[in-house]
Amino acid sequence: MNICLYGASSDAINKFYIEEVEKLGHEIAARGHTLVYGGGARGLMGAAARGAYAEGGTIIGVSPTFFNVDGVVFPDCTKLIETETMRERKQIMEDNADAFVMVPGGIGTFEEFFEILTLKQIGRHSKAVTILNLNGYFDEIFRLMQKAMDEKFMKEACHELTASFTDIYALLDYIENYKGHLVNIADMKHISDDN
């Protein structure tokens, strides 16, 4: 199975995050899965790649050519796919993934995650979408999403689109046992006659 990871590219973060995501990369490879990610050598992207590489795993990196400067791209990807744009990068990552994991990150991570979540909401894919909520990092996002549901900007059924974990083993168990099905857009959006 190909597991796509979205996460931070910065090294200027608490080492706890780096250590945990390196364990995640290691466990992805130990279970025989392929890591698909943005090709970075630093931050949580680099941590996941180092973990997978240490276990002898397969790593597919997808990186725009303008990132190909010293120290930015992980040098030991099994396969490195270069793109011209960030949009191409995201499409290739999506096309090569059977499941998705968001680990802590910034604007780019949020943008990638919410795009893949939106595509699931409108029935464009039926893959597992998961969050590794280390140190309560995503708690505020969960509160924002609940506020959107409470105020009827999103349906409560949107809870079913993703699953959050604090434990990497439970997260991977969930992905491995996930039975995907396309959602009915009317169940996720306020477009039916009764709303």
Side-chain angles (χ1 to χ4, degrees):
M1 178 182 295
N2 289 358
I3 299 177
C4 179
L5 179 137
Y6 302 131
S9 60
S10 172
D11 281 333
I13 56 177
N14 188 314
K15 298 306 177 199
F16 166 78
Y17 296 115
I18 292 173
E19 290 165 4
E20 289 300 302
V21 175
E22 192 163 326
K23 288 178 196 172
L24 174 62
H26 188 277
E27 187 65 14
I28 287 171
R31 294 185 183 211
H33 304 307
T34 294
L35 173 67
V36 178
Y37 84 120
R42 297 177 180 165
L44 300 188
M45 285 199 290
R50 286 192 304 276
Y53 182 76
E55 184 59 26
T58 301
I59 304 165
I60 299 174
V62 186
S63 180
T65 53
F66 54 82
F67 279 167
N68 199 0
V69 296
D70 287 348
V72 173
V73 176
F74 187 66
D76 295 309
C77 290
T78 310
K79 180 179 183 181
L80 179 64
I81 301 169
E82 294 187 309
T83 67
E84 290 301 313
T85 68
M86 296 291 277
R87 287 194 177 105
E88 287 177 280
R89 177 200 211 187
K90 289 188 298 179
Q91 187 66 58
I92 290 169
M93 289 168 70
E94 178 191 340
D95 291 346
N96 281 278
D98 301 305
F100 302 90
V101 180
M102 176 173 65
V103 300
I107 291 172
T109 300
F110 302 154
E111 189 268 339
E112 289 168 326
F113 170 78
F114 278 111
E115 179 171 334
I116 211 67
L117 190 64
T118 300
L119 291 172
K120 187 171 184 178
Q121 181 192 36
I122 61 174
R124 305 317 299 167
H125 76 83
S126 59
K127 302 168 185 178
V129 178
T130 62
I131 300 165
L132 184 58
N133 190 24
L134 298 170
N135 235 8
Y137 184 80
F138 292 111
D139 289 355
E140 296 299 327
I141 285 180
F142 299 151
R143 280 192 274 275
L144 175 62
M145 291 175 71
Q146 186 58 54
K147 182 176 176 63
M149 291 177 204
D150 292 344
E151 298 199 16
K152 309 301 183 197
F153 289 95
M154 293 165 54
K155 281 196 167 184
E156 286 288 337
C158 291
H159 277 302
E160 301 167 16
L161 297 173
T162 187
S164 174
F165 300 88
T166 57
D167 178 83
I168 63 174
Y169 306 102
L171 182 149
L172 291 172
D173 288 347
Y174 172 86
I175 287 174
E176 289 171 344
N177 293 295
Y178 185 77
K179 304 291 186 223
H181 64 280
L182 287 175
V183 299
N184 181 335
I185 192 170
D187 292 337
M188 297 295 155
K189 302 293 249 177
H190 292 286
I191 58 175
S192 61
D193 292 336
D194 61 347
N195 287 310

